[in-house]
Amino acid sequence: MTARRRPRAGRSAGVAQPAFGQRPRPYAPVEVLSGDQVAAIHQAGMDILARIGMRVLDNGARALFRNAGAEVSGDIVRFEPGLIEEQLRTVPRRFTLHARNPAHDVRVGGNLCVYTSVGGPAYVMDNDRGRRDGTFEEMCDFLKLVQVLNVIHQEGGGPFEPMDLPANTRHLDIYRAQIGLLDKTWQGQTLGRARTLDGIEMAAMALGTTPEGLIDRPALVGVINTNSPLQLDIPMAEGLIAMAEHGQALAITPFTLAGAMAPVTLAGALAQQHAEALAGIALTQIVRPGAPVLYGGFTSNVDMRSGSPAFGTPEYVKAAQASGQLARHVGVPFRSSNVTAANEVDAQAAYESQMALWGALMGGAHLLEHGAGWLHGGLTASFEKLILDAELLMMMDAYFEPIDTSPEALALDAVAEAGPGGHFFGTAHTMERYETAFHAPLLSNWDNHPTWLDRGGIDARARANTVWKTLLQEYEEPALDPGVAEALDAFVARRKAEGGAPMN
Amino acid sequence: MTARRRPRAGRSAGVAQPAFGQRPRPYAPVEVLSGDQVAAIHQAGMDILARIGMRVLDNGARALFRNAGAEVSGDIVRFEPGLIEEQLRTVPRRFTLHARNPAHDVRVGGNLCVYTSVGGPAYVMDNDRGRRDGTFEEMCDFLKLVQVLNVIHQEGGGPFEPMDLPANTRHLDIYRAQIGLLDKTWQGQTLGRARTLDGIEMAAMALGTTPEGLIDRPALVGVINTNSPLQLDIPMAEGLIAMAEHGQALAITPFTLAGAMAPVTLAGALAQQHAEALAGIALTQIVRPGAPVLYGGFTSNVDMRSGSPAFGTPEYVKAAQASGQLARHVGVPFRSSNVTAANEVDAQAAYESQMALWGALMGGAHLLEHGAGWLHGGLTASFEKLILDAELLMMMDAYFEPIDTSPEALALDAVAEAGPGGHFFGTAHTMERYETAFHAPLLSNWDNHPTWLDRGGIDARARANTVWKTLLQEYEEPALDPGVAEALDAFVARRKAEGGAPMN
C-alpha cells in the first residue's frame, strides 16, 4: 500500500501512472500557530461549548448527550471540559478502511493521507457542454475515471447528482455504482438514518459480511457538517449516530466561513470550528467508544464585497494548517479538502486548488476530501478539473518522495566522468535511472513554444479533456463475485419497492 | 518597510493593493533533508571542489584563486575545504539594498525575501499579439507595471530584450529606463566588465554618489550563472569581479539541470550545485571580503523523453528547499526563483509557478528571482503572467500574516452574540474588520457561475489582460532630480559615442 512510485504500469497501459498507494509524508507539517496559540484557540472552543453550547435539534442526540453528562436546556446542549476530554480518550489515532479489493485498503493516521474524489456537487461540467444537470450514465463515467486514476485512493461519496433518477431512491443506484464500478473504498451518504443504513448494508454485502460484521472492519467514511454556527440538525445527527453505531468512520466538519457563519477573524472562526467539531466527535464516542472519527477543518472566508464564499485563499491555507495543529492537539485524525471557487479550469482553479493542497497536505491531513474534481465552490464536478487535480496530487506525491543521499545518488563518479564543461546525457549513471528519476506528468506539456504552436497550441484545459477521454477508454470493470452482485441487486430492488428514503 | 498590509491605498487608487513592503515570514522553512543529509551533500560538494575542481576560463579569476591558495592546474582550479571555509567567514548574513526612493530600500536575510520581476528573456508575449521580439517601448510599459505593482520589491534586470535597439549599447538604454521609470532597486547586467561597470556608474549617479561611494551602500544585484558542469566563463567572471570590487550584491547560481548539465539524481545535482556556488561565493570574498553575495539554487530536471528543461516540478520544489538548507548550512543568504515551462497563462503556468513559490518561500529564500512575469522556461516575459504572479505573491504575503489570537480575535463575545443558528453579517465585530480582514484579490473572480457567465465568462488569462492595462493607466513616473537625470543622459550619450560594450 505504501509502494514507491517506481512501478509505472498498473492497469493503465496508455497513460503512464505511478501504482496505487499512499505515500508517507516525510516532512514535518507547517506550524502556523505557536503552542500557546493552539492552547488559546482550544480553550476558546471549550469555553464556547461550556458557556454558549450547541443547538442540537435531534431528540435522540440530545438524550445521548444528557446521559453522558452534558447539560441540556431546551435544545441547547452545554459541555463541561471534562466531558469532552473523557470522550476524546477513546478516539483511535489511526485506522484502516477496507475496500472490496484488499490492495485498495487505505490507512488513516500517522503520516499517511487518503486522497478522495469530489463528492456531493449538484452539477457536472466538461469542456464540451459546459455546466449542466448530470445523468446517471455521466456519473458512471466519472466513477470509472476515479477507478482508473491510481492517485485517487477513495471515491468521495458520489461525484454529482444523477438528476435523471428519482430523489428518494437515487442513493441506492449511486451506492450500487460505487461498489460495482470501483474496487476502491467509497463514501456513504449520511443525510438521515435511512440513506445511511442503506449504505452500511450495501458496504457490508460488498465485503461479504453483515452490518454487525462491518463494525470491526470499517469500510465507509461519512461526512457530517454542523450547521454553523453551533447547530447540529436532525438528518446529520441521524447519519452520525447510525454510522457510529456500526463503527464506520465520520469526518465531523463545521462549515465555518469567516465573516458569515463564523467570526470574521480567523482565530474566532477556528475557535468556533473547534467547538463544533469537538461536540460532534464527542457524540461519536458516546454512541460507540472507539468509533473511527476525524476532525474536519473547512474554515474559509467570504468575499466581503459580495458575501460569496472564497476557497483556496491565503486565509484558507492558514486555517487548514492551524486546524491540523488543533486536531493533533486533541489527538484526532485530521480531514481537510482541495477547494476552489474558480469558474473555469484556468489559472485560478489551479492556484486556488494548489494553495488548498499545500494547506491540507503540509497541514498534516489524513483525509483529503474533494481531492480531485471540485469546481465552483463545490457546486460542480468537472471532468477536466478531475485531471488537473490528479496531476496536482501526483506532483505532491512525487514531492513526498525523500531525496536519496546514498553515495550512488551523490554521484561523485558521474560528476568526475562528465567533468567540467561536459554533460550527463547518456552517461551510465543517467541511463540506469532516467526512466524513473522524475515525476512523469499527466497534464503538463514541456514543448518549446514553436513546437507547441505547431502542435495546435493546446492549453492545459483542452489537454485535460483529451486525457480524461483517453483514460475512460482504459477503464476495465473490476470483477465482482456474482453472488454478491445478485444480493446487492436484490437489496436495491427491495428498498426501491419500499419507497427508498423519506424525503426531508 | 515591513508595514503590514492594512493600508490599501498607496499609489494605485483604481486597483486595490497592499502597500509596498517586505512581509516577514513567521513560519519555519520546510526541511526536506535531515541534518545528516545536508552534511553529506555539503561534503560531496567539497569533495568535488577538492578532487575535480572548476574550470575557470578567465586569467584574472584564476590568478585571484591562486593567490588565495587554490591549486591551479591549466584552467582547472581545485580548492581545499579550509580555503572555502575561510572565505565563507566574511560573507554577510544580511544586508540592505538601496533604492533612489529610500522607502523602497530592501533587506536581504533573516526572514525577509525580496520579490523581483522577471529578468533576461529574449521575447515578450501578451494575449493580444502572442510571443514576439520586444521593443524598447514595450519594455518601458513592462517596467511601468513593475513600478505600479507594490508586491514587486525589485526590478529583475530588464524584462526582455528590446530588439529595436543596437546590442552593444542596449544595456545603457535599459539602465536609464530602470532608473527613470522606477524608484525601486533594480538589477544590473553582468555579462562582461563593460556592461557591469556601466550599471555601477549609473546606479551610483542615481543615488547621488560615485562607484566608490556605492561600496558601503550597495544598490545592485547581479546574477552570475556558472556554466554547469563546473565551469566559470570569462564574461561571468568579469562581471563577478567588477561587482564584488564595488561591493554590489551577487547571486551565484549554477544552472544544474538534473539529467543534462548535472547528475540525474537530485542529491548529485545538488552536490554539484553546491560546489559551483561555493567556488563563486569564495571568489566574491577573495575580491572583497564582506561583499554581499547569495547562494543561488536553480536545480531542476529535464523531461527525459525530450531533453527539454522542466520547471516548477516536484523535483524542483525539493531541490529549492534542500538548497535553502544548504545555504543556511554555509551561512549565506539564499536565492531561488518562480519558474514554469508552460506555454500559456493557463492552469499549468499557475501550478508550476505556485509549486516553485512554495519551494522558494517555504525553503527560506531571501531573493526570489523572476518573481513575476516569467514564461516558457525563461525565454519569454509575459504581461499576463506578470499579473498572475503578482496575485500569487500577494497571496503568499497574506499567508505570511500571522494569525492574531488576541481575546478580541478569538471573538467569544461575537460568537455569543450571533448564537447557535445565527450569522455574523453585520455584527459589530464583523463591521469593524471586514474591509481589511482578508486578502483582496487582483485576479481571482468569485462570482457564482450564472453571474460569471452573464458577465461574459472571462477566464483568468483574459482577466489578467484587463488588469495590466488598467494598472498601466495608473502609472505615474516617479520624480527624478533634474541634475541626476542630466548626468545620466550625458553618461549614456558618452558611452554610446564610445561604442558601448564589446560584443562577445
Side-chain angles (χ1 to χ4, degrees):
Chain A
M1 202 166 57
T2 55
R4 317 240 315 165
R5 53 189 271 266
R6 301 307 181 196
R8 292 238 177 246
R11 175 164 291 118
S12 303
V15 178
Q17 293 186 66
F20 180 95
Q22 293 172 273
R23 272 64 182 173
R25 276 188 299 256
Y27 318 130
V30 175
E31 301 201 334
V32 296
L33 299 172
S34 68
D36 285 350
Q37 289 185 303
V38 171
I41 295 174
H42 174 73
Q43 188 56 50
M46 298 294 251
D47 287 350
I48 290 170
L49 287 175
R51 291 193 229 156
I52 306 168
M54 290 278 291
R55 173 170 287 144
V56 178
L57 300 175
D58 182 63
N59 292 331
R62 281 204 305 277
L64 286 162
F65 278 132
R66 184 187 292 111
N67 291 343
E71 178 204 324
V72 178
S73 165
D75 53 11
I76 300 292
V77 181
R78 294 188 179 82
F79 305 80
E80 287 306 314
L83 169 59
I84 298 291
E85 282 154 18
E86 185 192 333
Q87 299 305 333
L88 285 172
R89 263 183 226 123
T90 52
V91 172
R93 301 226 166 199
R94 49 188 82 199
F95 53 88
T96 297
L97 294 167
H98 298 269
R100 70 175 177 91
N101 175 356
H104 290 166
D105 287 357
V106 292
R107 288 183 287 166
V108 172
N111 61 359
L112 293 175
C113 188
V114 178
Y115 302 158
T116 72
S117 53
V118 60
Y123 305 103
V124 64
M125 184 169 173
D126 63 20
N127 292 355
D128 306 304
R129 294 197 287 146
R131 184 165 105 168
R132 59 194 184 272
D133 286 347
T135 64
F136 183 70
E137 190 182 341
E138 291 170 301
M139 191 202 74
C140 289
D141 282 350
F142 204 99
L143 291 178
K144 290 173 184 174
L145 291 168
V146 171
Q147 171 72 4
V148 168
L149 284 163
N150 290 339
V151 76
I152 301 177
H153 304 128
Q154 179 171 87
E155 193 283 331
F160 51 88
E161 291 292 312
M163 296 298 285
D164 54 342
L165 299 183
N168 58 322
T169 59
R170 197 182 287 159
H171 67 285
L172 297 161
D173 295 302
I174 297 174
Y175 291 153
R176 183 64 184 84
Q178 288 170 306
I179 294 168
L181 297 175
L182 295 105
D183 62 3
K184 299 181 178 180
T185 55
W186 51 281
Q187 299 195 356
Q189 299 182 29
T190 49
L191 201 70
R193 188 165 181 89
R195 280 189 187 79
T196 309
L197 289 178
D198 285 340
I200 291 168
E201 290 260 16
M202 292 177 71
M205 287 180 209
L207 295 185
T209 184
T210 61
E212 291 65 39
L214 214 57
I215 291 173
D216 296 323
R217 217 175 140 211
L220 293 173
V221 174
V223 174
I224 299 296
N225 292 122
T226 46
N227 289 128
S228 304
L230 298 170
Q231 194 162 252
L232 180 64
D233 68 21
I234 294 172
M236 287 278 98
E238 287 185 357
L240 184 156
I241 293 168
M243 288 286 278
E245 282 172 354
H246 292 88
Q248 301 306 294
L250 288 157
I252 312 294
T253 313
F255 193 54
T256 35
L257 280 180
M261 293 89 98
V264 73
T265 47
L266 274 193
L270 288 166
Q272 185 187 308
Q273 167 191 292
H274 200 59
E276 296 180 20
L278 290 180
I281 291 163
L283 184 54
T284 66
Q285 303 304 299
I286 291 169
V287 172
R288 174 176 290 279
V293 63
L294 297 106
Y295 179 114
F298 201 76
T299 295
S300 192
N301 59 291
V302 294
D303 176 1
M304 293 309 296
R305 289 167 307 180
S306 66
S308 306
F311 294 103
T313 59
E315 291 76 23
Y316 181 90
V317 179
K318 279 189 277 192
Q321 295 178 341
S323 297
Q325 291 183 262
L326 289 165
R328 290 190 291 281
H329 184 71
V330 294
V332 180
F334 171 45
R335 165 253 157 110
S336 190
S337 311
N338 173 8
V339 289
T340 173
N343 273 292
E344 254 303 351
V345 181
D346 62 1
Q348 182 182 339
Y351 66 69
E352 288 184 341
S353 270
Q354 198 160 60
M355 286 290 275
L357 283 179
W358 281 90
L361 301 184
M362 289 305 285
H366 301 107
L367 175 68
L368 181 76
E369 285 287 300
H370 312 299
W374 149 305
L375 206 61
H376 302 165
L379 290 175
T380 303
S382 156
F383 279 87
E384 287 81 19
K385 181 69 168 19
L386 180 71
I387 301 304
L388 168 60
D389 288 333
E391 176 75 288
L392 299 185
L393 291 171
M394 287 165 68
M395 289 175 78
M396 292 305 287
D397 271 359
Y399 168 65
F400 292 137
E401 204 160 319
I403 296 177
D404 174 8
T405 52
S406 65
E408 297 71 33
L410 285 168
L412 262 69
D413 291 346
V415 175
E417 184 188 337
H423 68 80
F424 295 78
F425 288 117
T427 65
H429 187 265
T430 302
M431 295 308 286
E432 282 161 18
R433 292 166 176 83
Y434 82 92
E435 287 190 61
T436 56
F438 311 124
H439 165 64
L442 188 65
L443 180 61
S444 300
N445 175 293
W446 297 328
D447 287 339
N448 65 45
H449 197 59
T451 303
W452 182 78
L453 287 173
D454 284 349
R455 291 176 177 169
I458 318 281
D459 74 4
R461 174 177 174 273
R463 291 198 302 275
N465 185 271
T466 303
V467 171
W468 73 255
K469 288 175 179 171
T470 305
L471 284 169
L472 197 53
Q473 296 299 318
E474 297 184 9
Y475 172 77
E476 288 173 34
E477 189 164 324
L480 180 64
D481 180 280
V484 169
E486 201 175 315
L488 285 164
D489 291 337
F491 178 85
V492 169
R494 173 169 68 78
R495 292 285 297 121
K496 284 186 176 179
E498 290 168 3
M503 296 305 294
N504 300 104
Chain B
M1 201 164 63
T2 55
R4 316 244 313 169
R5 53 190 271 268
R6 300 311 180 193
R8 292 239 178 248
R11 176 164 291 116
S12 303
V15 178
Q17 294 185 65
F20 180 95
Q22 294 172 272
R23 272 65 183 172
R25 277 189 299 255
Y27 318 130
V30 175
E31 301 202 333
V32 296
L33 298 171
S34 68
D36 286 350
Q37 289 185 301
V38 171
I41 295 175
H42 174 74
Q43 187 55 52
M46 297 296 252
D47 287 351
I48 289 170
L49 287 175
R51 291 193 229 156
I52 306 169
M54 290 280 291
R55 172 169 288 145
V56 178
L57 300 175
D58 182 63
N59 291 332
R62 280 204 306 278
L64 286 162
F65 278 132
R66 185 187 291 110
N67 292 342
E71 179 204 323
V72 178
S73 165
D75 54 11
I76 299 292
V77 181
R78 292 188 181 83
F79 305 80
E80 287 306 314
L83 169 59
I84 298 291
E85 283 155 17
E86 186 191 333
Q87 298 305 332
L88 285 172
R89 262 183 228 123
T90 53
V91 172
R93 302 228 165 195
R94 49 188 82 199
F95 53 88
T96 296
L97 295 167
H98 298 269
R100 70 176 176 91
N101 176 355
H104 289 166
D105 287 358
V106 292
R107 290 184 286 168
V108 173
N111 61 358
L112 293 175
C113 187
V114 177
Y115 303 157
T116 72
S117 53
V118 60
Y123 305 104
V124 65
M125 183 167 173
D126 63 19
N127 292 355
D128 306 303
R129 295 197 286 147
R131 182 166 106 168
R132 59 193 184 272
D133 286 347
T135 64
F136 182 70
E137 191 183 341
E138 292 169 302
M139 191 202 74
C140 289
D141 282 348
F142 204 98
L143 291 179
K144 290 173 185 175
L145 291 168
V146 172
Q147 171 73 4
V148 169
L149 284 163
N150 290 339
V151 76
I152 302 178
H153 305 127
Q154 179 171 88
E155 193 283 332
F160 51 87
E161 292 292 313
M163 295 300 285
D164 53 343
L165 298 183
N168 57 324
T169 59
R170 197 181 286 160
H171 66 286
L172 297 162
D173 294 302
I174 297 174
Y175 292 154
R176 183 64 184 84
Q178 289 171 306
I179 293 168
L181 297 176
L182 295 105
D183 62 2
K184 298 180 178 180
T185 57
W186 51 281
Q187 300 195 355
Q189 299 183 28
T190 50
L191 201 69
R193 189 164 180 88
R195 278 188 190 79
T196 308
L197 289 179
D198 285 339
I200 291 168
E201 290 260 16
M202 291 177 71
M205 287 180 209
L207 294 184
T209 185
T210 60
E212 291 65 38
L214 215 57
I215 291 173
D216 296 322
R217 215 172 142 213
L220 293 173
V221 174
V223 173
I224 299 296
N225 292 121
T226 46
N227 289 128
S228 304
L230 297 171
Q231 195 162 249
L232 181 63
D233 69 20
I234 294 171
M236 287 277 100
E238 286 185 355
L240 183 155
I241 292 168
M243 288 285 278
E245 281 172 353
H246 293 86
Q248 300 307 292
L250 288 156
I252 311 293
T253 312
F255 194 53
T256 35
L257 280 180
M261 293 89 99
V264 73
T265 47
L266 274 194
L270 288 166
Q272 184 187 308
Q273 167 191 291
H274 199 60
E276 296 180 21
L278 290 180
I281 291 164
L283 184 53
T284 66
Q285 302 304 300
I286 291 168
V287 172
R288 174 176 290 279
V293 64
L294 296 108
Y295 179 113
F298 202 76
T299 295
S300 193
N301 59 291
V302 294
D303 175 3
M304 294 308 297
R305 289 166 308 179
S306 66
S308 306
F311 294 102
T313 60
E315 292 76 22
Y316 181 90
V317 180
K318 278 189 279 192
Q321 295 178 341
S323 297
Q325 292 184 261
L326 290 165
R328 290 191 292 280
H329 185 70
V330 295
V332 180
F334 170 46
R335 165 252 156 109
S336 189
S337 312
N338 172 8
V339 288
T340 173
N343 273 294
E344 254 303 350
V345 181
D346 63 1
Q348 182 182 339
Y351 65 69
E352 289 184 340
S353 270
Q354 198 161 60
M355 286 290 275
L357 282 180
W358 280 91
L361 301 185
M362 288 306 286
H366 301 108
L367 176 69
L368 181 76
E369 284 287 301
H370 312 299
W374 148 306
L375 206 61
H376 302 165
L379 290 175
T380 303
S382 156
F383 279 85
E384 286 81 19
K385 181 70 168 20
L386 181 70
I387 301 305
L388 168 60
D389 288 334
E391 177 76 288
L392 299 185
L393 290 171
M394 287 165 68
M395 290 174 78
M396 292 306 287
D397 271 359
Y399 168 65
F400 292 138
E401 203 160 322
I403 296 177
D404 174 8
T405 52
S406 65
E408 297 72 34
L410 285 168
L412 261 68
D413 291 346
V415 175
E417 185 188 339
H423 67 79
F424 295 78
F425 288 118
T427 66
H429 188 264
T430 302
M431 294 308 287
E432 283 160 18
R433 292 167 176 82
Y434 80 93
E435 288 189 59
T436 55
F438 311 125
H439 165 65
L442 188 66
L443 179 61
S444 300
N445 175 293
W446 297 328
D447 287 339
N448 66 46
H449 198 59
T451 302
W452 182 78
L453 288 173
D454 283 349
R455 292 176 175 168
I458 318 283
D459 74 4
R461 174 178 174 272
R463 290 198 302 274
N465 185 272
T466 303
V467 172
W468 73 255
K469 288 175 180 171
T470 305
L471 284 169
L472 198 53
Q473 296 300 318
E474 298 185 10
Y475 172 78
E476 288 173 36
E477 189 162 324
L480 181 64
D481 180 282
V484 169
E486 201 176 314
L488 285 164
D489 291 337
F491 179 86
V492 168
R494 174 171 67 78
R495 291 287 298 122
K496 282 187 177 177
E498 290 169 4
M503 295 306 296
N504 300 101

